[in-house]
């Protein structure tokens, strides 16, 4: 991978081999509700701060992705997440 400023240039085209989506109640009530892997009914998910809840959401989505495709963990060179 080559980095040019803020741009990443891959030698080979990236391929999505697995996904995991964990969301809060607002997303779960929207038009894409059926596309999410898990919808929490409380966005704080019993964590003391929003930052801890956000981290837990990302970790659970990552684990869902790994469970869905065990070989992804071995062959993954790059991972992306968004909140």
């Amino acid at each position: 991978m080559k980095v040019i400023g803020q741009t990443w240039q891959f030698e080979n085209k990236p391929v999505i081999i697995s996904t995991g989506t964990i969301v809060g109640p607002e997303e779960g009530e929207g038009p894409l509700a059926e596309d999410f892997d898990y919808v929490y009914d409380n966005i704080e998910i019993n964590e003391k701060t929003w930052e801890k809840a956000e981290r837990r959401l990302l970790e659970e989505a990552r684990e869902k992705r790994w469970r869905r495709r065990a070989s992804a963990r071995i062959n993954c060179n790059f991972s992306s997440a968004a909140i």
Side-chain angles (χ1 to χ4, degrees):
M1 177 174 57
K2 187 169 150 185
V3 179
I4 304 167
Q6 294 182 1
T7 303
W8 297 348
Q9 184 175 18
F10 296 93
E11 291 180 24
N12 300 311
K13 290 183 181 181
V15 177
I16 297 171
I17 58 174
S18 186
T19 63
T21 53
I22 312 290
V23 299
E26 288 184 32
E27 295 88 350
E29 293 173 1
L32 301 175
E34 304 228 352
D35 295 325
F36 300 125
D37 293 315
Y38 187 81
V39 178
Y40 274 99
D41 58 359
N42 176 349
I43 194 61
E44 285 84 23
I45 58 175
N46 299 321
E47 294 291 345
K48 292 181 180 180
T49 66
W50 161 247
E51 291 80 10
K52 288 182 179 183
E54 181 179 44
R55 179 179 175 177
R56 186 165 155 201
L57 289 170
L58 289 170
E59 289 172 349
E60 289 186 20
R62 182 190 65 214
E63 288 305 312
K64 180 71 172 173
R65 181 175 66 229
W66 291 149
R67 283 192 301 272
R68 183 170 284 136
R69 174 107 186 230
S71 65
R73 186 181 295 226
I74 297 166
N75 299 322
C76 182
N77 294 336
F78 183 82
S79 183
S80 176
I83 292 281

